[in-house]
Amino acid sequence: MGLNFALLSVSALLLLTPLLSLADARDIGVCYGLNGNNLPSPTDVIGLSVAIIPRNEDIASFAMSQDAANAWVNTNIVHYKNNVSFQWITIGNEVIPGPLGLNVPTAMNNIWNALASVGLAQIKVTTVLPVNALGASYPPSVGAFTSDVLETMTSIASILAQQDALLMINVYPYFPYSSNPSHFSTEYAMFTSNTPVVIDGSLQYFNLFVAMVDAFNVVLEKINFGNIKLVVVEIGWPAVGNDPYTSVSNAQTYNQDLLSNVTQNGTPRRPNYIMFWLKPDLLESYSLCT
């Protein structure tokens, strides 16, 4: 059954191990898409907690039609519920900002209604944001959503709060560092600074990753949903393609120091709580799951 299920959702399936949390177990997860290489077999992965991402092209139909949302849940969730540990349905990966993102709140709500109608309300519905959903993020205390996503994100946050669900984010310090290396030191980007680099009020930041996460915490506070917790679902550092910033050594240093950091500390704004999964690769990056 596991193999058939994985093949059913070649472009849509994301299989994940349990989360890392300072408040809970300290497990490291992997995103399991079917477009990579050196992947574990579907039968090896199918017993884990699962987050499934519908196709982007289905988001608008979910938003326009409760029947379409019901049909998708019946086909892709109900049929497998006794054999697969579904924990999240993610409506869109980095479709916000963008025109498709306008459909996400209603699509989330309709999928949530569909789950409740078949007795599966314990499965949470969420979405995944990129950093460019933020119009400001430096220092973290000035974090703000861009004006074009503010209304959408307020609606999404309301849905998440009703479910007691997490907001998923993708955080890649490599991109701001490599695009503006004069602004960010290598030590700040790579978790190797022994002294605080950014002082934000009473809070001290030693690395860019944590600062980026806290910028998301700030924006949630500013729209009065500071109780919503974050989970970082994609991280990594590329090993090739943009010398001198990319190298196997840099990728290894970043990922190993990231693991050491997040298993010991939360963020300055959330010192007792941080959750993340590790994506297997980013531009051929070294990763902890290989």
Side-chain angles (χ1 to χ4, degrees):
M1 191 288 300
L3 179 60
N4 290 336
F5 178 75
L7 293 177
L8 173 69
S9 305
V10 170
S11 63
L13 188 61
L14 189 65
L15 298 176
L16 302 160
T17 62
L19 302 172
L20 178 149
S21 169
L22 295 181
D24 301 303
R26 299 181 179 225
D27 299 320
I28 302 300
V30 295
C31 296
Y32 181 71
L34 297 184
N35 294 325
N37 53 26
N38 299 319
L39 297 172
S41 70
T43 52
D44 290 335
V45 178
I46 204 64
L48 305 175
S49 298
V50 173
I52 182 168
I53 302 180
R55 299 179 306 165
N56 283 349
E57 51 264 44
D58 291 332
I59 294 175
S61 66
F62 296 161
M64 291 185 292
S65 169
Q66 182 65 61
D67 288 341
N70 294 345
W72 186 90
V73 166
N74 284 322
T75 299
N76 295 283
I77 305 298
V78 174
H79 187 67
Y80 303 99
K81 67 177 182 177
N82 294 326
N83 298 295
V84 178
S85 178
F86 293 108
Q87 195 160 355
W88 304 271
I89 296 175
T90 302
I91 306 300
N93 181 16
E94 298 193 345
V95 299
I96 301 169
L100 189 57
L102 298 175
N103 296 293
V104 170
T106 307
M108 286 176 60
N109 202 52
N110 286 347
I111 290 291
W112 187 24
N113 290 339
L115 291 167
S117 71
V118 292
L120 295 175
Q122 76 277 8
I123 301 175
K124 309 298 185 181
V125 184
T126 186
T127 191
V128 183
L129 293 185
V131 172
N132 66 346
L134 304 182
S137 60
Y138 180 85
S141 62
V142 306
F145 284 120
T146 60
S147 59
D148 58 323
V149 308
L150 179 59
E151 183 177 354
T152 297
M153 285 310 306
T154 302
S155 297
I156 287 172
S158 177
I159 295 169
L160 296 175
Q162 291 177 63
Q163 300 179 75
D164 191 26
L166 302 158
L167 176 63
M168 297 181 174
I169 58 175
N170 295 336
V171 180
Y172 291 115
Y174 163 78
F175 289 114
Y177 166 68
S178 62
S179 64
N180 193 2
S182 64
H183 188 65
F184 302 105
S185 69
T186 301
E187 293 77 15
Y188 187 55
M190 300 284 292
F191 286 94
T192 56
S193 176
N194 294 318
T195 58
V197 177
V198 172
I199 308 296
D200 190 10
S202 63
L203 304 179
Q204 299 180 342
Y205 291 89
F206 291 74
N207 62 79
L208 182 55
F209 171 83
V210 169
M212 293 169 72
V213 172
D214 260 356
F216 277 100
N217 282 320
V218 168
V219 299
L220 290 172
E221 292 169 6
K222 288 182 176 179
I223 62 171
N224 299 315
F225 286 100
N227 60 314
I228 292 174
K229 294 182 173 67
L230 299 171
V231 55
V232 181
V233 294
E234 290 187 19
I235 56 174
W237 194 278
V240 296
N242 187 22
D243 294 338
Y245 312 111
T246 58
S247 69
V248 171
S249 176
N250 283 349
Q252 183 172 3
T253 297
Y254 174 82
N255 284 319
Q256 288 180 338
D257 288 346
L258 170 71
L259 176 58
S260 175
N261 182 278
V262 299
T263 56
Q264 299 299 320
N265 306 288
T267 70
R269 299 189 80 90
R270 301 286 185 273
N272 298 317
Y273 186 91
I274 185 171
M275 305 177 80
F276 88 99
W277 291 315
L278 180 65
K279 186 176 182 179
D281 56 76
L282 167 64
L283 306 176
E284 300 296 323
S285 70
Y286 172 91
S287 82
L288 299 172
C289 62
T290 57

